[in-house]
Amino acid sequence: VNALKQIAVVTAVAIEALPRRLGTSLIVVIGTATTVAVLISALAIARGFTGAATQSGSPNRAIVLGGTNESSSAITRADAAIIMDAPGVEHGPTGAPIASAETLLTIAFTDFHTGQDASLPIRGIGLQAFALRPETKLIAGRRFEPGRRELIVGRSLEARVGGLTIGSEVKFPDGNWKVVGIFSSGGGPYESELLADVSSVMNAFGQSSFNDVTVRLTNPTAFAQFNAALTSTPTLTVKPLRESEFYAAMSGPLSRLLDVTAYGLGFIMAFGAVFGALNTMFSTVRARRTEIATLRAIGFGAPSVIASVVVEALLLGLIGALIGALAAWLIIDGMSISTMVATGTSLHVTFGLEVGWKIVMTGALFALGIASAAAVFAARQAARISIAAAMR
Amino acid sequence: MSFWTLVRAELWRRPERTIFTIVSLVVGFFLFGLLQGVNAAFGTAMAQTHADRLMVGGRFGNSMPLADLSQIERLPGVKQVTWLGLLPAYYRDPKLSFLILASDPARFFSVMADYKISAVTLNRFVHTRTGLIVDDKVAKRFGLRVGDQVNLNSPVVKRDGSRSWTFDIVGLVSRPKQADPPFAVMNYTYLDENRADARGGMVQWFYVQAVAPERAVAVGRSIDSLFVNSSAPTFSQQESAFAAQSVADIGDAKLFTDSIIVAVFFAMLFVTGNVIFESVRERTSELAVLKTFGYSDTRVLMLIELEALTLCLSGAIAGLTLAALAFHFVGRVITSISSFLATTNTLSARIILTGLGFAVILTFVAAAIPAWSAKRLTVAHALRMRA
């Protein structure tokens, strides 16, 4: 109990004197604050991207490709019918399988704002596509009518490219198609696409095969049954994938790069901040030399001196973490980023950055790490102060 | 006693403080070098494209008749034109597929002047209908050599119903850009006469070289307007615009790296400024002694500045050297993620010089206040404080 009391007294004395060492102490605060702010921002981007890229994939859905990736894959009408009739596929109230055979093409479009040509992804979807993806909802206008030259545009694409508002026209090989609605899809990749009736799109582009077929499974475990049925059909050479796995695999490389970047930056900056903090803590110990020697001379033990140094460093580190987290929150929270899911695809995801508790905690952990690394060495120095030499 | 001896003595007055400061500066400049290197990778991806080259594709992803060629060639501002049919193929391993570009051999290697082959090889290619020029990395990967006959599998079906295409390797070519995807070049006639496509003579791309880069955009417009009402409307893009679109897709990475650099410099400024400030305060009486010995105010100011400069420059040199070494590795990581960024894995001299420039600026900003107060220090006042 006596030792604890000593620690409390010495620490209180040290903290009370902090304002007098404000200049040097600020180094620890600023060092940890910048590290924490950068780490939190980078983690928010990484989490936001991974979340947006994978949430659009449901374990309840399976995507069937005829090739290695969606745009080079080809599935004939006959094969598509076999896939939709396979066991494990859910059927709607009318008895029709909840599935959509789709085609993915690009179309050149001149941006109204910049006057520049851009390639836009256009996806032909089946009649059951909205039942298949209930997260796809109209936010303005109406759905396209199959057989007419109409299309709907994703919210993120509409915001990015000028001239895709309701009523505007997009030039197709067979004439102008009209934008009749704008949809959202939970921030997922579809929001960066144009959607239209698959038969009309295939007619317009003179295509005879689909790119992929997406089906709703009766339940997530039905995938095994579905997969077995398709792979054992001798006439089919297709690759069924769980939709969640499909998106995870596609966004994996960028996801990993963002994670590596966030932690890489965090560790490098923390390393630099440790040395800045070492300077501060050594200087603090120097400034408190006489005080520490006096305390030791009147009977305070080395642990109380060490504890006062460590507590002071941790306190400064925590203040830094708080400022860093606050700065990151003020600057990036709510910011919206749009990026492609992987190189070589036209799929984009839009996600908002969110400074959540988990990443703030990671930031605080880094700050405490920086502070304690510096404190350990400085405390050793403080414990070594020779009473006689310091008092002379 | 020389000036330099003084600076050294002052820096080693508290060796641990100098070392800690330098290490934190090393880390700061290391980050600066790395992040600037990443920024530059975006820039060079753009710079390495050929602004005089246009990629003409189908406006609706459609293919175009080869017969359009003569009309394109007649347009003013066009220097030369080649075309590409595409044959995706793989050798043994379906997972390692690459694209075979089918073109006219002479035209292809003339327009794409950055793909270099010898005149002898080109001649052999022209005279071998089944000839194939293979990317040297692909060749190495599969152990293929010039003279080999290979069967490549492709999703494109031949007239005889098979998907196996036979080629004779007539030469190797290296990728102009390390990051380009694997490829090979074949004779367009071989592709066109053998594929089971009802319509013959269709191509996926025209590559048009304009007489000058500044004419390229106009040439592109005239090509597009020429075919706007045809059955195969075109979509012309400068090669650089094509790259720009892909780079923009990665999001505003530059804004992010720039913000980090600003934050890091802010922290470094504070660390250095504080250390100089503290060391000047500690030496007040010593500086007064120097002045008593006849050191002018300006020389004392210079002494402090030189001390700060030594700190900052040694941190910058070490940090930038480490960044240059590390960037070799980082460049490879970027390559594996995006082929459009992967253009360099060395740090340019410009970045290193900018870094050193920043070190000098950092010095003067950080040391300004302490150096100024050292200059204004009066001997009597300083020595009185000591007593």
Side-chain angles (χ1 to χ4, degrees), chain B residues 302-322:
Chain B
M302 281 180 47
L303 184 70
I304 306 294
E305 293 283 10
L306 196 61
E307 200 184 307
L309 190 65
T310 313
L311 268 181
C312 291
L313 274 185
S314 34
I317 291 168
L320 292 169
T321 309
L322 281 178

Side-chain angles (χ1 to χ4, degrees), chain A residues 23-24 26-27 30-31 34 38 41-42 45 68 105-110 117-119 160 171-173 205 253-254 257 261 265 268-269 271-273 275-276 278-279 282-283 286 335 337-340 343 345 348 381, chain B residues 14 16-21 23-24 27 30-31 34-35 59-61 94-95 97 224 228-229 235-237 245-246 248-252 255-256 260 263-264 266-267 270-271 274-275 278 282 333-334 336-339:
Chain A
T24 28
L26 271 182
I27 292 186
I30 289 182
T34 35
V38 168
S41 315
I45 294 174
T68 46
L105 296 152
T106 60
I107 189 161
F109 182 76
T110 310
D117 278 342
S119 287
R160 198 154 47 89
K171 204 166 173 193
F172 270 57
F205 283 82
L254 194 50
L257 177 77
T261 309
L265 280 173
I268 296 173
M269 292 197 62
F271 186 74
F275 284 87
L278 271 172
N279 245 345
F282 270 61
S283 143
R286 263 200 309 275
M335 218 187 239
I337 288 189
S338 171
T339 185
M340 61 183 177
T343 47
T345 67
H348 278 67
Q381 193 87 346
Chain B
R14 290 206 190 281
E16 89 278 351
R17 181 165 67 195
T18 304
I19 290 170
F20 293 160
T21 310
V23 173
S24 51
V27 173
F30 173 72
L31 266 180
L34 274 192
L35 295 174
R59 179 153 280 265
F60 304 112
K95 276 195 236 95
S97 68
D224 290 348
V228 71
N229 289 320
F235 177 39
S236 304
Q237 263 184 311
Q245 204 179 354
S246 307
D249 278 348
I250 299 175
D252 212 344
L255 179 71
F256 186 62
I260 298 176
V264 167
F266 177 67
F270 212 80
V271 168
N274 210 284
V275 163
E278 203 172 291
E282 270 176 20
V333 174
I334 301 174
S336 67
I337 303 297
S338 167
S339 55

Side-chain angles (χ1 to χ4, degrees), chain B residues 105-294:
Chain B
R107 283 172 180 266
F108 180 83
F109 286 102
S110 173
V111 174
M112 314 296 268
D114 42 349
Y115 294 66
K116 291 184 179 69
I117 57 167
S118 72
V120 182
T121 309
L122 180 59
N123 191 46
R124 202 165 21 187
F125 187 27
V126 171
H127 293 104
T128 315
R129 213 174 72 96
T130 55
L132 189 72
I133 303 270
V134 184
D135 163 6
D136 53 6
K137 292 231 175 79
V138 172
K140 199 174 160 201
R141 166 100 210 202
F142 298 113
L144 300 175
R145 260 174 279 162
V146 174
D148 287 356
Q149 190 170 69
V150 288
N151 288 317
L152 302 182
N153 291 296
S154 170
V156 175
V157 185
K158 282 179 20 184
R159 291 217 168 140
D160 60 12
S162 94
R163 289 162 185 263
S164 169
W165 295 69
T166 307
F167 290 100
D168 292 293
I169 298 177
V170 292
L172 303 181
V173 63
S174 48
R175 301 177 196 170
K177 278 177 259 167
Q178 283 308 304
D180 282 343
F183 73 102
V185 190
M186 69 183 285
N187 270 299
Y188 175 75
T189 43
Y190 181 48
L191 170 70
D192 198 44
E193 284 166 11
N194 285 285
R195 63 179 162 193
D197 188 343
R199 312 161 296 169
M202 300 300 281
V203 301
Q204 260 74 44
W205 294 97
F206 284 107
Y207 260 78
V208 178
Q209 191 183 13
V211 288
E214 42 304 348
R215 299 281 299 272
V217 174
V219 168
R221 283 216 190 94
S222 49
I223 295 173
D224 290 348
S225 58
L226 190 59
F227 300 110
V228 71
N229 289 320
S230 76
S231 60
T234 58
F235 177 39
S236 304
Q237 263 184 311
Q238 248 174 312
E239 204 177 279
S240 50
F242 190 75
Q245 204 179 354
S246 307
V247 171
D249 278 348
I250 299 175
D252 212 344
K254 196 172 180 303
L255 179 71
F256 186 62
T257 52
D258 283 348
S259 321
I260 298 176
I261 290 174
V262 170
V264 167
F265 266 95
F266 177 67
M268 284 204 292
L269 190 69
F270 212 80
V271 168
T272 324
N274 210 284
V275 163
I276 306 281
F277 182 79
E278 203 172 291
S279 98
V280 167
R281 202 179 46 194
E282 270 176 20
R283 286 177 301 158
T284 307
S285 54
E286 286 169 36
L287 294 173
V289 170
L290 278 179
K291 286 193 179 183
T292 325
F293 285 158

Side-chain angles (χ1 to χ4, degrees), chain A residues 245-305:
Chain A
E245 284 166 6
F246 173 70
Y247 282 115
M250 195 158 59
S251 61
L254 194 50
S255 248
R256 276 192 295 277
L257 177 77
L258 289 173
D259 264 345
V260 168
T261 309
Y263 284 109
L265 280 173
F267 275 110
I268 296 173
M269 292 197 62
F271 186 74
V274 164
F275 284 87
L278 271 172
N279 245 345
T280 302
M281 295 321 290
F282 270 61
S283 143
T284 300
V285 169
R286 263 200 309 275
R288 290 181 53 202
R289 221 169 116 87
T290 323
E291 177 211 320
I292 291 173
T294 313
L295 286 171
R296 297 293 309 276
I298 60 174
F300 282 87
S304 59
V305 171

Side-chain angles (χ1 to χ4, degrees), chain A residues 38-68:
Chain A
V38 168
L39 178 72
I40 285 181
S41 315
L43 280 177
I45 294 174
R47 293 288 164 275
F49 171 77
T50 311
T54 49
Q55 80 179 14
S56 41
S58 158
N60 260 323
R61 291 193 289 255
I63 179 165
V64 183
L65 299 176
T68 46

